[in-house]
Amino acid sequence: MRNIPVNLAAFRLRVVEPPTMKMRKDDAGREIVVTDRDGAAKFVMSLFAKVAGEKGEEIRVTLDTDPGEGLEEGDLVELVDARVNPYSFKNDKDEVISGIAFSAAGVKPLDR
């Protein structure tokens, strides 16, 4: 199951790390831009997600589109079309690594 819609309306999402272009290392160890099937660059940002009265947690979110300029640390934001994707793989030590990855179509700032 992929791209499971997630409702984060109850959470306050605060920027911890502003959006940057998502990068990965190729087989030669060079940094390359992560793109979708059509060649459009992906972006990544870190958010602190918190519900009133509860402890929060930092999440890393991959964005499908360029979020543009102006998002800074501490800004409150809303994710557009937020979703999670479960993953599981074996690493070099033959350990199974699994979890969920957050993604969204985009991000928009909230008025303070």
Side-chain angles (χ1 to χ4, degrees):
M1 186 181 269
R2 301 198 41 88
N3 291 320
I4 303 165
V6 60
N7 182 349
L8 298 174
F11 289 83
R12 289 176 55 100
L13 303 174
R14 190 171 300 276
V15 176
V16 176
E17 290 179 22
T20 58
M21 201 168 288
K22 187 170 185 175
M23 306 293 281
R24 69 173 181 84
K25 291 191 187 242
D26 66 9
D27 293 337
R30 296 177 299 230
E31 291 275 320
I32 60 171
V33 175
V34 175
T35 61
D36 65 13
R37 291 180 208 159
D38 299 325
K42 299 272 190 167
F43 291 79
V44 66
M45 65 187 304
S46 291
L47 301 173
F48 189 74
K50 185 175 183 337
V51 174
E54 300 284 330
K55 286 190 173 187
E57 186 163 335
E58 188 172 323
I59 60 173
R60 196 154 174 86
V61 181
T62 298
L63 304 172
D64 297 339
T65 58
D66 183 350
E69 299 292 321
L71 291 176
E72 298 181 12
E73 185 176 338
D75 288 349
L76 289 173
V77 296
E78 178 182 339
L79 293 176
V80 177
D81 187 24
R83 55 203 185 271
V84 294
N85 286 294
Y87 64 85
S88 183
F89 63 91
K90 283 191 178 182
N91 65 11
D92 296 342
K93 299 176 186 174
D94 210 31
E95 301 166 322
V96 175
I97 308 296
S98 54
I100 59 170
F102 287 88
S103 60
V107 62
K108 61 183 182 178
L110 293 178
D111 294 330
R112 293 184 185 232

